[in-house]
Amino acid sequence: MHRFAAVFLILALAPTGRASADSDGPWSLELSMAGNYPVVSARTPGREAPLRLVVDTAAGGTVLDTALAQQLGLTAGESIEVRGASGASTTQRASQPLRLTLVEGLTIAVQPILTDMSRFGSADIAYDGILGNDVLRQFEVRFDVPAGDLVLALPGVGPSPVADLKCIDNQRPGDAGPRLAGFGLFDLTLGIAGEQPREAKVRAVLDTGAAATVLNHAAAAALGVAEGDPRLRPYEAGTKGFAADAIATELMDLASAQVADWRAGSATVRVSELPVFQVLDLHQQPAAILGIDLLRQVPVGLTAGVGRLCFGTTP
């Protein structure tokens, strides 16, 4: 079993993956939950077994396990800075492109960031890498855990896979740098139950690679739950990001989370001052990382370039 669940939020100036398609699509990949994370399979030359990749809308670069890269004969190139949810580090990327066939008719070439993915697996589950938004933002994307599908479509070619979803504009700052090019930010309304029910609007990051939804303390305070409140319960395992040690974390119960026409019911979420809130310039306002624990309930989508974020309707 996992000792903790990591938040695969990665900011990196990584090379953008390039797609090469033999048809106009759209392409449907089988999407499933493996442990705490949503995964798809991909194939690459030199390896018979498929790769298991975590699908992460908040990873600025595609990632490959270091040991696997060595098996494939990929040499490490120049160092690049990578900032994760719990701090900053310097890692390396493969020096030559890696070709990944996501599904018949769709192949991408990426220069993956190399890291030890075994840190995030368990005795029963292993992850070979992360499919980041450097690839995803080239397509219109429908991420649908309930249906078991990740649908990728070329923008403007054929019917849109997000046509039946309610789409809202990305609230990413206009002066956001290249690290945030593939990130989706939006306003999320949270609710808390009790003798005095309360709602608050927070700025949220769409993060399918976060195993758990995380609020900062400003978001908890906006709901009337200040530090020291007994409704904040210790979580000894903490929250771990792509790099660095686990960060102190508490647990809190939400009554609801709502955006567009989707409303999630009661859920236990984490409250933590992850350094990434400061990196994203969200540390002085109520903010949240909306993770797969809630996103797995409903189809969500992205338009090309992540200009808009799309959500299904509450059943």
Side-chain angles (χ1 to χ4, degrees):
M1 297 295 291
H2 291 272
R3 184 172 59 86
F4 48 72
V7 176
F8 289 138
L9 195 153
I10 307 166
L11 295 97
L13 290 173
T16 300
R18 299 296 180 188
S20 174
D22 294 335
S23 66
D24 289 338
W27 301 272
S28 178
L29 288 69
E30 182 178 349
L31 178 70
S32 62
M33 294 297 299
N36 293 308
Y37 303 103
V39 298
V40 293
S41 294
R43 293 192 175 275
T44 191
R47 179 181 166 93
E48 182 175 350
L51 278 60
R52 176 181 280 169
L53 304 178
V54 177
V55 182
D56 190 353
T57 56
T62 290
V63 173
L64 187 68
D65 177 64
T66 304
L68 177 57
Q70 293 173 349
Q71 293 173 17
L72 294 172
L74 298 176
T75 58
E78 64 183 288
S79 296
I80 56 173
E81 183 186 35
V82 175
R83 291 180 178 269
S86 58
S89 71
T90 299
T91 186
Q92 294 183 308
R93 69 169 189 246
S95 61
Q96 69 265 33
L98 171 70
R99 292 179 61 82
L100 294 173
T101 298
L102 299 179
V103 68
E104 185 176 354
L106 180 61
T107 297
I108 58 172
V110 294
Q111 285 186 280
I113 300 166
L114 302 182
T115 196
D116 178 10
M117 291 298 299
S118 68
R119 296 177 294 158
F120 309 113
S122 68
D124 301 320
I125 299 173
Y127 307 103
D128 296 310
I130 298 171
L131 183 66
N133 66 42
D134 57 326
V135 172
L136 297 173
R137 66 178 183 251
Q138 299 178 57
F139 302 94
E140 288 198 339
V141 177
R142 184 186 184 95
F143 177 93
D144 194 340
V145 173
D149 278 330
L150 177 70
V151 182
L152 305 178
L154 295 172
V157 178
S160 169
V162 300
D164 62 328
L165 307 181
K166 178 67 175 293
C167 297
I168 59 176
D169 290 339
N170 192 344
Q171 296 300 307
R172 183 177 55 212
D175 60 352
R179 289 183 187 274
L180 295 182
F183 282 69
L185 282 75
F186 61 99
D187 290 329
L188 178 68
T189 301
L190 303 177
I192 194 168
E195 296 181 0
Q196 296 181 321
R198 191 164 175 173
E199 288 191 343
K201 185 177 291 185
V202 308
R203 183 57 51 88
V205 181
L206 185 73
D207 189 354
T208 58
T213 294
V214 184
L215 316 184
N216 63 4
H217 281 100
L223 289 165
V225 183
E227 293 187 56
D229 191 298
R231 287 174 290 183
L232 291 174
R233 308 184 298 278
Y235 181 58
E236 294 182 1
T239 297
K240 185 177 179 64
F242 181 73
D245 296 329
I247 303 299
T249 300
E250 296 168 296
L251 300 178
M252 187 180 81
D253 295 329
L254 289 181
S256 62
Q258 183 173 0
V259 58
D261 292 335
W262 170 60
R263 183 182 180 91
S266 58
T268 298
V269 298
R270 302 183 187 190
V271 179
S272 180
E273 289 302 321
L274 295 180
V276 75
F277 285 119
Q278 185 165 1
V279 174
L280 295 171
D281 199 25
L282 298 176
H283 58 296
Q284 294 183 329
Q285 67 182 88
I289 297 170
L290 183 61
I292 193 63
D293 54 335
L294 299 183
L295 291 172
R296 65 187 296 175
Q297 302 175 14
V298 64
V300 298
L302 308 171
T303 60
V306 200
R308 308 198 80 198
L309 312 177
C310 308
F311 299 85
T313 301
T314 300

